[in-house]
Amino acid sequence: MTKQAIPSGMTEKEYYETMADESAFLEWYKTQDLPKYETPSVTADMVAYCFVEGQIKLLVIKRKAHPYQNKYALVGGFVDKHEDAYQACIREVKEEVGLEIPLEKVEQLMTVSTPGRDPRGWVITISHLVYLPAIAVDQVQAGDDAKEVTFLDVDFKTRSFRDGEQLLTAEDFAFDHYQILLESIKRIQGRLDWNPTFLHLLESPFTVYEGTELVNLISPRRPIVSNNFLVKFGEYLEEAGVKRVPKKKPRKVYRLKAEKTA
């Protein structure tokens, strides 16, 4: 770095921050001896739900390595230097469980920066909601960080998670993932009426009966009847033909407007 002549009465820091051009400032900043900020690591974690045969399920892994060996954990990992958190989500889902997901089914949930949340060091996580297709149940495969991959049953009414008959508590999860899960349910329920991104859980195209079933699982304390589904959510949908049902009249089917194909 070429040493610059600092004007009289001005400190080196003042000169490079206010007088030098940006390239000179950046060169100085990397080499100067002033106190440096520690750099945290950043992870992207996914709260990945799917809607399968009338049940909401959550994709998790069991960790095969320390820390939190054998604990349940959200799918996720460290964000690489040349990607953003959304790209990290898509990559991690592919690496960990062998699934490819589109960007429109990934939604940022919250950033968690609690000191000491990761025993490996200073790690900030950006958690996301991910809406998986029902076929994910049959497609997942354990990646490098997973001892096994499983789908938990989710009860939005009691905000609880089960692996078969086992009711899981915060102690069963790695890091602070249980608290992130509880926040994910609050987010989905809190935005039910004005930003229903949870509709991405429906297989396109879908009937109003399927949509009503999903809504009532998410908001069991405020159930609706099928006649009200289009009243509440019709602005987000468009007709996509009809579905033939044995011994019944054909039913109209719908899809999210954002899913319209060219």
Side-chain angles (χ1 to χ4, degrees):
M1 174 178 170
T2 303
K3 191 71 173 178
Q4 300 291 320
I6 308 299
S8 177
M10 178 175 286
T11 66
E12 182 178 283
K13 181 176 184 293
E14 289 173 334
Y15 170 75
Y16 280 104
E17 287 186 342
T18 63
M19 299 290 292
D21 61 37
E22 187 170 284
S23 61
F25 162 75
L26 292 174
E27 186 179 1
W28 168 82
Y29 187 80
K30 293 175 183 178
T31 60
Q32 49 86 23
D33 292 327
L34 295 175
K36 292 181 171 62
Y37 293 105
E38 291 187 51
T39 302
S41 297
V42 179
T43 59
D45 289 313
M46 279 70 75
V47 181
Y49 290 116
C50 66
F51 180 47
V52 184
E53 297 179 351
Q55 174 68 51
I56 298 175
K57 293 183 176 289
L58 170 74
L59 174 64
V60 296
I61 65 170
K62 269 196 172 181
R63 292 181 59 83
K64 69 179 181 182
H66 296 297
Y68 297 103
Q69 188 178 38
N70 298 319
K71 297 286 188 178
Y72 295 94
L74 301 175
V75 175
F78 289 95
V79 179
D80 289 342
K81 186 175 182 180
H82 300 294
E83 66 183 358
D84 64 26
Y86 285 97
Q87 292 168 329
C89 284
I90 293 171
R91 174 181 56 77
E92 284 290 343
V93 169
K94 176 64 175 176
E95 291 177 356
E96 294 269 6
V97 293
L99 288 172
E100 294 190 14
I101 53 173
L103 184 60
E104 62 266 21
K105 294 199 175 186
V106 181
E107 173 188 350
Q108 190 172 129
L109 173 62
M110 62 189 295
T111 298
V112 186
S113 57
T114 308
R117 62 173 300 275
D118 190 319
R120 293 169 294 188
W122 187 12
V123 181
I124 294 172
T125 193
I126 305 172
S127 62
H128 297 74
L129 284 167
V130 175
Y131 302 111
L132 297 174
I135 198 173
V137 172
D138 300 317
Q139 287 186 334
V140 295
Q141 55 191 17
D144 290 342
D145 295 333
K147 179 179 180 180
E148 62 181 82
V149 181
T150 190
F151 280 88
L152 305 180
D153 293 326
V154 184
D155 187 329
F156 271 59
K157 183 176 182 178
T158 60
R159 297 179 178 176
S160 61
F161 309 88
R162 290 182 179 271
D163 187 357
E165 296 299 317
Q166 181 186 3
L167 177 64
L168 304 180
T169 69
E171 297 300 315
D172 295 306
F173 287 88
F175 308 104
D176 44 15
H177 289 182
Y178 183 76
Q179 287 73 31
I180 293 173
L181 287 172
L182 296 182
E183 287 299 321
S184 77
I185 292 177
K186 292 179 184 178
R187 161 71 71 86
I188 292 172
Q189 290 178 330
R191 296 169 61 172
L192 183 76
D193 296 329
W194 61 274
N195 192 12
T197 52
F198 70 90
L199 292 175
H200 280 293
L201 289 171
L202 293 167
E203 294 294 310
S204 184
F206 52 85
T207 67
V208 295
Y209 301 99
E210 293 164 338
T212 302
E213 183 178 33
L214 175 61
V215 170
N216 289 341
L217 285 173
I218 288 173
S219 184
R221 301 183 192 281
R222 297 181 353 183
I224 64 171
V225 295
S226 57
N227 289 342
N228 288 339
F229 180 76
L230 291 179
V231 175
K232 287 180 68 69
F233 304 109
E235 65 180 291
Y236 304 102
L237 312 174
E238 63 183 5
E239 290 188 22
V242 296
K243 179 179 181 179
R244 304 290 176 179
V245 180
K247 299 181 180 181
K248 294 183 180 180
K249 292 182 179 180
R251 294 174 176 173
K252 288 184 179 181
V253 291
Y254 300 85
R255 64 188 170 202
L256 297 179
K257 290 180 179 178
E259 293 181 356
K260 184 176 180 180
T261 56

